[in-house]
Every structure is written in C-alpha cells, then in structure tokens.
Amino acid sequence: MSTMGNSTNIFWQESPVGKLERQKLLNQKGCVVWITGLSGSGKSTLACSLSRELHTRGKLSYILDGDNVRHGLNKDLGFKAEDRTENIRRVGEVAKLFADAGLICIASLISPYRKDRDACRAMLPDAFIEVFMNMPLALCEERDPKGLYKLARAGKIKGFTGIDDPYEPPLNCEKLKPRWQVHFQFKSCNVYRHYYHQLR
C-alpha cells in the first residue's frame, strides 16, 4: 500500500493560469462523470459513447477506464478491500486534476464501495456527476463480455464483485440507467444534457 499522506515540508505551488482561464480557453467547464456498476453492466460502452458524443460537440474529454489504469498507475494494487479503496482514491485524484485542467473526465470503474465514491465526490462537490449502471446481476452474468463471471463461479477468481464481494449501489446519484435496452448513444446524449444543464 502507498505511504502517501506521510509527506512533510511540502507547499502548494499556485499556477499563474487559473481554472477559469483554462475553462474559457476550452469553452467548457471541467467536471468528472463517474460511471459505476457491476462488471458487464456497460460502463465502458457508455464511457466511449459519451466521449464520442462530446467530441462531436467540440468538447474535450478523457476516459479513465478501470482496467486501463491498472496497467500503469495502479498496477501495484490487487483486489483486496484496502487496495480497491486506494485504487479509487488515486483515480479520484487524477480525475480531479483533469477537471481542474478544464477537461471532462469520464471515470469508468466498478468502484464497488459507496464510501470510496463519496470520497471522490467530496473532492469535486460542484462538478461530480455520478452515473449508476443499474443492470441486474443475472443480465451482467449472461453478457459476461470478459468471461469473468464464469471464472468467478468456478472459484478461479476470488473476491469478485457481485459474486463473493459486495457492490454498494449509489443512494443519490445524478443519473440512473436502469433501462439497459436503450441504445448507448441515446444514453450518452442524456448524460451530456445533464452535464450541460448542471454546469453551464
């Protein structure tokens, strides 16, 4: 685990260019769209669809994908509860930097624990949009695009969210996506409209 937080004798260096100036340059407001849900619920599909939708509208975004960050930034972390918490903390800090830079950061992660997601929200109280992919476990298992549920059911993966590790759904998310039959481009447009009305 990281020993971050033990640093001493450090000072915050202010930038000569502020957040509002960066947002004015990009003609958009920085924020974090946090997409959470079970494996196979469509988080990455929605993230990619939303990123494309934003691009067509002239908005700059960047996706922080749960699997991708574990190839680099978080490759030293496993899937124990404390590692999952540290994983989300790091992603939250990076997402905060993207938002401060004026980008629309799309974080797509299972992020199973409510307290970890709420901690990320607390970093960005006015620029955090939580999207819950509320897909039933049975349907996620049926889809199983990565074959992970099959491995978990066979006992080859331990601590798999939804099987032998809990998922704590959001209590007050900004967007709830229960109708999984709806086309993802339509969903991305809805999320974009929420971004536009909340942050304009």
Side-chain angles (χ1 to χ4, degrees), residues 2 5 9-10 18 29 45 51 62 70 81 94 98 104-105 131 142 144 150 157 176 180 189 193:
S2 170
N9 300 317
I10 57 173
K29 289 189 176 181
T45 304
S51 181
Y62 193 86
R70 284 183 175 272
V94 173
F98 273 120
I104 301 167
C105 180
V131 181
E142 182 182 328
D144 201 11
K150 184 177 180 180
I157 298 178
L176 178 68
W180 48 89
C189 288
R193 282 195 290 270

Side-chain angles (χ1 to χ4, degrees), residues 34-38 43-44 64-67 69-70 74 87-88 91-92 106-112 117 131 167:
W34 193 281
I35 306 175
T36 178
L38 292 170
K43 299 181 299 300
S44 295
L64 291 176
D65 179 83
D67 279 0
V69 295
R70 284 183 175 272
N74 294 339
N87 178 53
I88 299 307
V91 173
I106 306 168
S108 171
L109 306 96
I110 295 174
S111 42
R117 298 191 305 267
V131 181
Y167 177 82

Side-chain angles (χ1 to χ4, degrees), residues 9 33 79 162:
N9 300 317
V33 178
F79 290 91

Side-chain angles (χ1 to χ4, degrees), residues 10-196:
I10 57 173
F11 304 90
W12 186 264
Q13 176 64 50
E14 292 293 343
S15 170
V17 180
K19 180 179 180 179
L20 293 179
E21 293 172 282
R22 292 189 289 271
Q23 291 185 152
K24 184 176 180 181
L25 179 67
L26 294 171
N27 192 31
Q28 64 183 45
K29 289 189 176 181
C31 74
V32 174
V33 178
W34 193 281
I35 306 175
T36 178
L38 292 170
S39 177
S41 61
K43 299 181 299 300
S44 295
T45 304
L46 177 59
C48 291
S49 179
L50 176 59
S51 181
R52 174 54 60 184
E53 179 72 23
L54 289 166
H55 181 78
T56 61
R57 295 172 184 258
K59 303 299 180 183
L60 185 60
S61 67
Y62 193 86
I63 297 173
L64 291 176
D65 179 83
D67 279 0
N68 290 359
V69 295
R70 284 183 175 272
H71 281 82
L73 176 68
N74 294 339
K75 66 181 180 180
D76 60 321
L77 299 176
F79 290 91
K80 294 179 181 179
E82 58 269 27
D83 282 353
R84 289 178 184 267
T85 292
E86 177 62 11
N87 178 53
I88 299 307
R89 187 195 70 80
R90 292 183 192 179
V91 173
E93 291 287 356
V94 173
K96 179 183 176 181
L97 292 175
F98 273 120
D100 187 62
L103 276 69
I104 301 167
C105 180
I106 306 168
S108 171
L109 306 96
I110 295 174
S111 42
Y113 305 143
R114 193 178 297 125
K115 65 178 178 59
D116 297 337
R117 298 191 305 267
D118 288 346
C120 292
R121 177 188 291 277
M123 298 180 194
L124 295 148
D126 299 318
F128 189 92
I129 301 170
E130 188 174 21
V131 181
F132 175 32
M133 302 299 288
N134 188 20
M135 185 178 288
L137 174 62
L139 189 55
C140 292
E141 275 201 76
E142 182 182 328
R143 294 183 70 230
D144 201 11
K146 300 174 184 176
L148 299 177
Y149 284 101
K150 184 177 180 180
L151 293 174
R153 289 294 187 187
K156 296 180 180 179
I157 298 178
K158 301 295 183 182
F160 191 78
T161 302
I163 303 299
D164 55 354
D165 202 69
Y167 177 82
E168 300 170 355
L171 299 178
N172 296 293
C173 59
E174 280 73 19
K175 297 296 290 184
L176 178 68
K177 295 297 178 186
R179 297 189 297 275
W180 48 89
Q181 299 93 338
V182 178
H183 193 278
F184 276 101
Q185 186 170 358
F186 177 76
K187 289 183 177 182
S188 69
C189 288
N190 280 344
V191 175
Y192 174 79
R193 282 195 290 270
H194 186 90
Y195 157 80
Y196 180 78

